[in-house]
Amino acid sequence: MPKTRVNVLAKEYGMTSKEMLDHLADMKIPAKSASSTLEDAYVAMVRKKLKPILEARAAEIEAEKKAAAEKAAEEARIAREQAEKERLEAEKRREAERAEEERRRAAEEAARKKAEEERLAAEKAAAEEAERNRVKDTAPKSAPSFTSLLDQIAQQEKVLKQQAEEAASAKAAAKSGRGRKSDDRGAKHGGAPAQRGSESVAPARDNGSDAGAADGRRKGKKGRRGEEGGEDRYSRMAREAEAYNRSKVFEDARAAVEEASRESSGRRKKRKERRQKQAERAAEQQRIEEAIANDQDLSQLDTVKVPQGSTVAELSELLGVPANDIIKRLFLLGTPLTLTESMSDELIELVAEDLGRDVKVMTKEEENSFTFYDNPEDLVPRAPVVTVMGHVDHGKTSLLDAIRHTGVAEGEAGGITQAIGASQVHINGRQITFIDTPGHATFTAMRARGAKVTDIVILIVAADDGVMPQTIESINHAKAAGVPIVVAVNKIDKPGASPDKVRQELTEYGIVPEEWGGQNMFVNISAKKKVGIDELLETVLLQADVLELKGNPDTFASGNVLEAKLDKGRGSVATVLVTRGTLRVGDALVAGMTFGRVRAMLDPKGNPVTEAGPSDAVEILGLQSVPNAGDEFRVFQDDREARALADERALKARIEEQNRVKHVTLENLFATMADAEVKELSLIIKADVQGSIEALQDSLDKMDQSEVRINTIHSAVGAINETDVTLADASNAIIIGFGVRPDAKARSAADRDGVEIRCYDVIYKALEDLDAARIGMLKPTEVEVSTGTAAVLDTFKVPKVGIAAGVRIEEGEIAATDSVRLVRDGIVVYNGAIASMRHYKDEAKSLRSGMEGGIGLENFQDIKPGDLIEGYRIDRVARTE
């Protein structure tokens, strides 16, 4: 029963423990100190009385939050203004810098142009000076250097014109001189002088430049040196100007190439960065679109999902960081691990936080579950899903029968609900989906699955019976699931019914009626006479209105499997509850480790339907195999994705199954020894008395242990409990029970972990089995099969039988022909047969789970309430040698 300490309650109201104790004293509530605990009823009274204080505290906290928010907003505004001011100043600085840079570049360009013009002018002046001082030869021996092709052509035309003028003047002079000389020679000497004169003039007639050349040659060496020196100087100036021109061109070309390369490489880098940013934005947009398509919460996109128990190497791969970084942090935390060692949840969260990553540790159940995010604008009201829970024979199925008028109770075996079912009823135009979970202890796990998929729990309690063990289990399951509870007090029409007594008993378990200041609504009903049914349904609808249940019908369907079976004619048939979306015929879905397409859908009345929305329960056909009850299903757009996910889950399940520790048993002991995996046999011995342990240990010590050594790691007096199974699981041991039996938790733990428990009544039988297993000759010919367990509620006298036990069958089915053991506090006090078996006043051949009856033991009268009767039979098995 949950309780609350005074200091915890004081912290909730923001006061000291002394102040809270004063308030409790004023309200006459007993509390001695700050560590005293208060019942939930008292806590409800305190909350009601101190509600104004809590509201004032909440108002104060809200005011503080508001002030803090306003302060943060003001600081953010100031920061934005400061940032904008800094941005504007920086922009002005950049503008000034750009203007200064432009001015500098303009000045440099003007200086460069001016220098270029001066250089060209100097070159032109030097060329003109060289031309003026050049020897006027008719055939220049060296051509000057010209700055351009036009200058060269113009200069060549000028030279040709000058040569033509010189040739014309020379020809005219030669003609006049030849006439005078011939007259003189003809008068003095006759014809000979004329012949010589003609010979001397003939060369001048051929080429007038020859005379100039001959005159030049006749001037002597000094004149030639001076002419050659003048030519070398001007030629050198021309060559220097040409070399300067070439080097300047080369320098400008190199500078231009470097500038172009620099600009080109800068542009390439910017283009590369731009492409990378565009690719990153595209990938991020694709992630967001996929998340929206899958109805995922966008705030969880950067959250890394890490499986529980991940190794260092697996965490490194998931986070995308080097494994050495994780190992260093683990070393600093004082927990050095290797790459293949698993990490605890706390270590994973600490390392991820230090690395600045957001992680979520996923349990094995969460790994196979889906998470969705729905836009509040897409949500519409949906029908409530109600689960009816309670003790056996308190009227759960009768209540549903009264609601839906289907007569289910008469058609069930023994009047007991044997499987999860679902039905839908319509009340005042509104729909309610009911899930009927079994009430007896055998189906506790099924009831737990029912509580997980429900919105509201109707806890039905018989007014004439009160709170029973399964009632308490139902309350615990509903509270664990965080589901509101509506209590239906049934059978108020029976004599001795006391609804107020039921209310008083439920307050001990935190179920307090609203009229008593609690949170739970109570309704008095009679399922058989249909009294209070309408009021109960109105209460359920009122509770649903308070919860404001909503769902998104316009998306792919998801939900849970309520029950599944294999039908010979229809194949795999699954009853599913749709929690969101709309399930349609033809949809591809995954449920646990199976997948398939919905070939057909049937409503709870067996009528075919084409679609099912939120809060609808339907039966579907088309899955490839039978899923497990409680598995979550989801619809996929492509059946290939569904198949891939189902295959991945199946592979993971097979790997986990292969990695499970295979414990040694007496049947596989010899084969295990042959594989050199076991050289000793570990035993845990539990017996009824210490003398039996010593006798069995002495006999084991005397056995031949040359092949395998027998090691007793633990021995004690008492029943076999869950702690023994845990020790055997860790030590790979076999549990030997002598005169004792395992309890229910120990049996379930042994089945889950694969630990062998062997119980004996005779020492030599245990020694025979161990010796036969050691030499590989253990071939069981008789196998004990447990049939059921009954709890002794009371004893009574029966004529001709003696003391008989009034029992309730907790699990299985005990037949009148079965052998039985009477177990008291884990110790077997009787082993024999059943003398008589009755169901109420009638003789019975067997009693099934949930039924009550009477059992008399043969030749045994010492039966006490609280004992357990275990039924079993011996099946003979043929040898397989």
Side-chain angles (χ1 to χ4, degrees):
M1 181 173 60
K3 296 180 180 180
T4 306
R5 293 186 182 273
V6 173
N7 54 2
V8 175
L9 194 59
K11 288 181 181 178
E12 180 179 345
Y13 285 92
M15 61 178 65
T16 62
S17 300
K18 186 176 182 303
E19 293 174 348
M20 179 58 70
L21 290 172
D22 294 339
H23 285 293
L24 295 178
D26 294 340
M27 288 183 282
K28 308 299 183 183
I29 296 177
K32 295 181 180 180
S33 63
S35 60
S36 299
T37 57
L38 301 177
E39 302 290 343
D40 281 356
Y42 289 144
V43 173
M45 292 174 61
V46 171
R47 294 184 194 280
K48 186 174 182 181
K49 186 68 176 295
L50 299 181
K51 185 177 181 182
I53 297 177
L54 184 61
E55 292 177 351
R57 177 62 177 167
E60 182 181 350
I61 293 173
E62 185 65 24
E64 292 177 356
K65 288 183 179 179
K66 185 176 180 181
E70 292 176 354
K71 184 179 178 181
E74 181 65 21
E75 292 177 352
R77 185 185 63 79
I78 295 173
R80 287 195 300 271
E81 292 178 353
Q82 183 67 22
E84 182 65 18
K85 183 178 179 182
E86 292 177 356
R87 187 185 67 79
L88 293 176
E89 292 177 354
E91 186 66 25
K92 290 180 180 179
R93 287 196 302 270
R94 285 194 294 271
E95 288 293 337
E97 291 174 358
R98 283 196 293 269
E100 182 65 25
E101 181 67 19
E102 288 294 333
R103 287 193 297 270
R104 185 184 62 78
R105 289 183 179 179
E108 290 179 355
E109 183 67 19
R112 188 184 65 79
K113 288 182 178 180
K114 184 177 180 180
E116 182 69 17
E117 291 175 355
E118 293 176 353
R119 183 183 61 79
L120 292 176
E123 290 178 357
K124 186 175 181 181
E128 291 176 354
E129 181 67 22
E131 179 62 23
R132 282 194 301 269
N133 298 328
R134 186 179 64 83
V135 179
K136 301 299 188 291
D137 287 340
T138 56
K141 295 179 175 58
S142 61
S145 176
F146 301 98
T147 57
S148 66
L149 182 60
L150 293 177
D151 294 340
Q152 184 176 357
I153 294 171
Q155 187 66 26
Q156 188 67 26
E157 289 177 352
K158 187 184 293 185
V159 171
L160 292 175
K161 186 178 179 180
Q162 185 178 0
Q163 289 179 353
E165 292 176 354
E166 291 178 354
S169 60
K171 185 175 181 181
K175 185 181 292 186
S176 59
R178 187 172 58 252
R180 288 193 302 269
K181 290 178 180 179
S182 72
D183 293 342
D184 293 336
R185 282 193 299 269
K188 294 179 179 180
H189 301 288
Q195 187 177 4
R196 287 193 298 269
S198 63
E199 291 176 358
S200 64
V201 175
R205 191 182 298 127
D206 294 336
N207 192 352
S209 62
D210 292 341
D215 293 339
R217 285 192 295 272
R218 288 193 295 269
K219 289 182 177 178
K221 294 181 178 180
K222 185 176 180 179
R224 286 196 300 270
R225 289 195 189 97
E227 293 173 2
E228 290 177 2
E231 289 178 358
D232 291 341
R233 180 166 59 86
Y234 294 124
S235 298
R236 184 168 60 254
M237 290 173 62
R239 283 195 301 272
E240 290 175 355
E242 186 177 0
Y244 174 77
N245 235 354
R246 188 182 302 111
S247 63
K248 182 64 176 175
V249 170
F250 287 161
E251 289 177 1
D252 293 343
R254 279 195 294 269
V257 170
E258 290 177 359
E259 181 67 20
S261 301
R262 186 162 54 250
E263 292 179 358
S264 177
S265 61
R267 287 195 296 270
R268 284 198 299 270
K269 184 176 181 181
K270 291 180 180 178
R271 285 198 298 269
K272 183 177 180 181
E273 293 176 353
R274 188 165 57 251
R275 285 196 298 269
Q276 289 178 350
K277 291 180 180 179
Q278 291 175 353
E280 292 174 358
R281 285 196 296 267
E284 183 68 19
Q285 185 65 25
Q286 184 178 1
R287 285 181 61 203
I288 294 174
E289 291 176 357
E290 291 178 355
I292 294 174
N294 293 325
D295 290 348
Q296 296 179 359
D297 190 357
L298 297 182
S299 62
Q300 301 294 325
L301 277 181
D302 295 330
T303 301
V304 181
K305 297 180 179 179
V306 181
Q308 197 173 41
S310 296
T311 63
V312 175
E314 293 170 348
L315 181 61
S316 169
E317 182 178 356
L318 290 172
L319 295 182
V321 299
N324 288 337
D325 292 350
I326 299 178
I327 293 175
K328 290 176 184 176
R329 285 166 172 80
L330 291 174
F331 185 80
L332 294 175
L333 289 172
T335 312
L337 297 177
T338 61
L339 286 174
T340 57
E341 288 185 285
S342 298
M343 302 174 62
S344 64
D345 298 349
E346 293 78 8
L347 277 179
I348 293 174
E349 293 174 353
L350 285 173
V351 171
E353 182 179 0
D354 190 60
L355 290 171
R357 303 295 297 276
D358 185 17
V359 299
K360 181 180 180 182
V361 181
M362 307 289 290
T363 62
K364 292 188 180 297
E365 293 78 13
E366 291 175 336
E367 288 182 41
N368 293 332
S369 64
F370 304 100
T371 56
F372 305 105
Y373 173 77
D374 290 318
N375 191 338
E377 298 177 356
D378 300 332
L379 299 178
V380 297
R382 64 174 179 86
V385 180
V386 181
T387 300
V388 181
M389 302 172 70
H391 191 67
V392 63
D393 198 29
H394 275 198
K396 298 184 303 300
T397 308
S398 299
L399 172 60
L400 290 175
D401 181 38
I403 293 174
R404 64 194 180 207
H405 306 290
T406 55
V408 175
E410 291 80 356
E412 292 180 351
I416 303 298
T417 305
Q418 299 295 326
I420 289 182
S423 60
Q424 294 174 346
V425 297
H426 293 81
I427 308 296
N428 298 328
R430 298 181 63 179
Q431 175 181 305
I432 302 177
T433 301
F434 284 94
I435 298 177
D436 180 23
T437 56
H440 44 84
T442 306
F443 295 155
T444 299
M446 295 175 68
R447 182 173 56 249
R449 286 197 297 271
K452 289 179 181 177
V453 298
T454 190
D455 300 316
I456 302 171
V457 166
I458 294 180
L459 178 66
I460 188 166
V461 185
D464 61 338
D465 201 4
V467 177
M468 301 300 288
Q470 278 72 44
T471 308
I472 301 171
E473 291 181 7
S474 302
I475 294 172
N476 293 334
H477 285 305
K479 286 186 175 181
V483 181
I485 299 174
V486 176
V487 181
V489 183
N490 194 22
K491 301 182 182 180
I492 59 173
D493 57 316
K494 294 187 69 173
S498 178
D500 291 337
K501 181 182 178 182
V502 172
R503 287 171 167 80
Q504 184 63 39
E505 291 177 351
L506 288 174
T507 57
E508 300 179 3
Y509 302 98
I511 307 298
V512 183
E514 284 186 339
E515 56 267 25
W516 292 3
Q519 301 291 331
N520 301 99
M521 290 184 272
F522 279 65
V523 181
N524 296 333
I525 65 168
S526 174
K528 287 192 174 181
K529 294 188 176 182
K530 298 181 176 59
V531 176
I533 303 300
D534 294 338
E535 184 182 355
L536 177 63
L537 295 177
E538 292 175 359
T539 303
V540 170
L541 293 176
L542 179 61
Q543 183 67 57
D545 293 337
V546 172
L547 295 176
E548 296 182 354
L549 302 173
K550 293 184 178 181
N552 182 9
D554 301 326
T555 183
F556 51 82
S558 62
N560 295 88
V561 178
L562 298 180
E563 193 53 75
K565 61 183 178 180
L566 186 63
D567 191 279
K568 290 184 178 179
R570 299 185 296 171
S572 176
V573 180
T575 303
V576 300
L577 176 68
V578 182
T579 57
R580 70 186 297 273
T582 301
L583 181 64
R584 297 179 175 85
V585 175
D587 285 346
L589 58 84
V590 170
M593 292 183 290
T594 183
F595 69 96
R597 281 192 176 272
V598 180
R599 292 191 288 108
M601 284 196 301
L602 304 175
D603 63 8
K605 294 183 179 180
N607 301 320
V609 293
T610 57
E611 62 180 27
S615 301
D616 287 342
V618 292
E619 196 175 58
I620 63 173
L621 285 72
L623 295 178
Q624 299 293 327
S625 58
V626 180
N628 296 323
D631 283 346
E632 186 177 4
F633 78 87
R634 175 196 167 180
V635 171
F636 283 81
Q637 296 180 354
D638 190 354
D639 55 354
R640 288 178 296 182
E641 296 180 6
R643 181 189 295 271
L645 179 60
D647 293 344
E648 180 183 351
R649 290 181 174 179
L651 177 62
K652 186 183 295 185
R654 287 197 298 270
I655 293 174
E656 291 179 356
E657 183 66 24
Q658 292 174 358
N659 292 337
R660 286 185 59 186
V661 177
K662 293 181 174 62
H663 292 286
V664 65
T665 62
L666 292 184
E667 282 79 4
N668 65 13
L669 176 61
F670 187 75
T672 309
M673 290 166 49
D675 294 337
E677 294 182 1
V678 172
K679 289 301 181 183
E680 69 175 15
L681 176 62
S682 299
L683 298 178
I684 295 176
I685 301 175
K686 298 298 287 290
D688 51 354
V689 293
Q690 186 65 33
S692 300
I693 296 176
E694 295 176 356
L696 183 59
Q697 186 63 53
D698 290 341
S699 301
L700 292 174
D701 292 340
K702 294 177 182 178
M703 291 178 62
D704 181 15
Q705 301 189 19
S706 58
E707 298 181 5
V708 57
R709 187 170 65 87
I710 299 176
N711 180 25
T712 303
I713 61 174
H714 176 65
S715 61
V717 175
I720 301 171
N721 52 38
E722 191 175 5
T723 305
D724 299 327
V725 177
T726 303
L727 177 59
D729 181 24
S731 306
N732 197 17
I734 298 174
I735 300 176
I736 301 295
F738 186 78
V740 295
R741 304 291 298 173
D743 56 23
K745 291 184 178 180
R747 281 197 300 270
S748 61
D751 294 338
R752 181 183 67 249
D753 298 334
V755 175
E756 185 179 23
I757 300 177
R758 292 210 167 216
C759 299
Y760 299 96
D761 296 325
V762 184
I763 289 180
Y764 77 83
K765 180 62 177 175
L767 297 176
E768 285 181 356
D769 286 352
L770 290 172
D771 192 56
R774 181 179 58 82
I775 61 177
M777 296 298 293
L778 181 62
K779 299 293 182 181
T781 58
E782 294 182 350
V783 176
E784 179 184 306
V785 179
S786 178
T787 57
T789 304
V792 178
L793 303 178
D794 203 354
T795 59
F796 51 90
K797 290 185 179 181
V798 178
K800 298 182 182 180
V801 176
I803 301 297
V807 300
R808 180 179 62 244
I809 307 301
E810 298 290 341
E811 60 179 355
E813 181 180 2
I814 299 179
T817 57
D818 289 346
S819 300
V820 294
R821 297 186 186 90
L822 184 68
V823 182
R824 182 176 300 155
D825 297 329
I827 307 299
V828 178
V829 297
Y830 171 77
N831 193 346
I834 297 175
S836 64
M837 176 180 290
R838 290 180 178 270
H839 180 54
Y840 296 108
K841 295 182 180 181
D842 302 328
E843 290 285 344
K845 293 183 179 180
S846 65
L847 294 175
R848 290 187 297 275
S849 178
M851 299 178 64
E852 295 183 354
I855 294 178
L857 302 180
E858 195 174 82
N859 301 325
F860 189 78
Q861 306 293 317
D862 185 19
I863 305 175
K864 296 180 180 180
D867 292 347
L868 289 178
I869 297 178
E870 295 184 355
Y872 68 94
R873 69 175 186 271
I874 302 299
D875 291 345
R876 296 189 176 276
V877 180
R879 291 181 178 269
T880 58
E881 300 181 65

